[in-house]
Amino acid sequence: MTNSSQLEFAKLQGTWLLVYQQMNGKKLPDEKAAEMFHGKMVFAGNKLRYSVELPGFDFGFVYKLDSTQQPTAIDLEMTDTPDQHDIGQKFLGIYLLEGDSLKICQSPIKRPTEFKAEAGSGNTLIVLKR
């Protein structure tokens, strides 16, 4: 890992609260539901847990960063789901860390080039805050 990747890695550690998630043009959960159901993403080492207090919405991943790409790349691999379905699925993503705000845009098909998740894109945009 490069020094800049190590620095980025350190900045991500800890708990991030979900502002909203957008998939194919729809916010699910939207801002109100994300807050009501305590959506969060917790980074611990090279692992992260993404959960909302809704049945079946609790996912574990391992991740790695590549700060040499612009926007900065994040690769995710699912390691845990409530029904053990999709374990091993990989997602190619980009992320933007600005102060207390974190955006991750990812897709299982191809790495997004911008932080958008319009209908038909296959992208998921996750917006978080400290």
Side-chain angles (χ1 to χ4, degrees):
M1 196 180 322
T2 67
N3 280 346
S4 61
S5 287
Q6 286 175 324
L7 185 60
E8 289 292 300
F9 185 79
K11 288 181 191 173
L12 290 175
Q13 301 300 299
T15 300
W16 294 84
L17 303 180
L18 180 63
V19 176
Y20 70 87
Q21 173 178 286
Q22 184 172 344
M23 298 173 69
N24 284 317
K26 291 191 177 6
K27 285 185 179 180
L28 189 67
D30 63 15
E31 289 88 343
K32 189 173 180 181
E35 188 174 346
M36 184 169 44
F37 295 112
H38 306 106
K40 66 183 174 186
M41 191 174 280
V42 180
F43 288 81
N46 71 333
K47 296 182 173 138
L48 71 88
R49 175 137 319 258
Y50 182 33
S51 63
V52 174
E53 291 174 3
L54 289 169
F57 201 115
D58 185 12
F59 306 99
F61 296 89
V62 292
Y63 72 96
K64 65 180 180 193
L65 308 176
D66 183 352
S67 60
T68 63
Q69 295 192 39
Q70 286 302 321
T72 310
I74 183 169
D75 292 336
L76 304 157
E77 182 178 338
M78 196 167 302
T79 58
D80 186 31
T81 66
D83 62 4
Q84 303 303 297
H85 188 66
D86 291 332
I87 288 180
Q89 182 169 3
K90 292 179 172 42
F91 300 90
L92 303 171
I94 55 176
Y95 77 94
L96 179 64
L97 178 60
E98 292 180 317
D100 288 342
S101 174
L102 174 62
K103 290 181 186 173
I104 298 173
C105 191
Q106 52 88 5
S107 168
I109 303 157
K110 66 180 172 86
R111 193 176 310 280
T113 55
E114 51 190 351
F115 294 91
K116 293 184 178 175
E118 299 99 12
S121 68
N123 292 350
T124 299
L125 174 65
I126 304 164
V127 178
L128 305 136
K129 66 180 181 184
R130 281 275 188 215

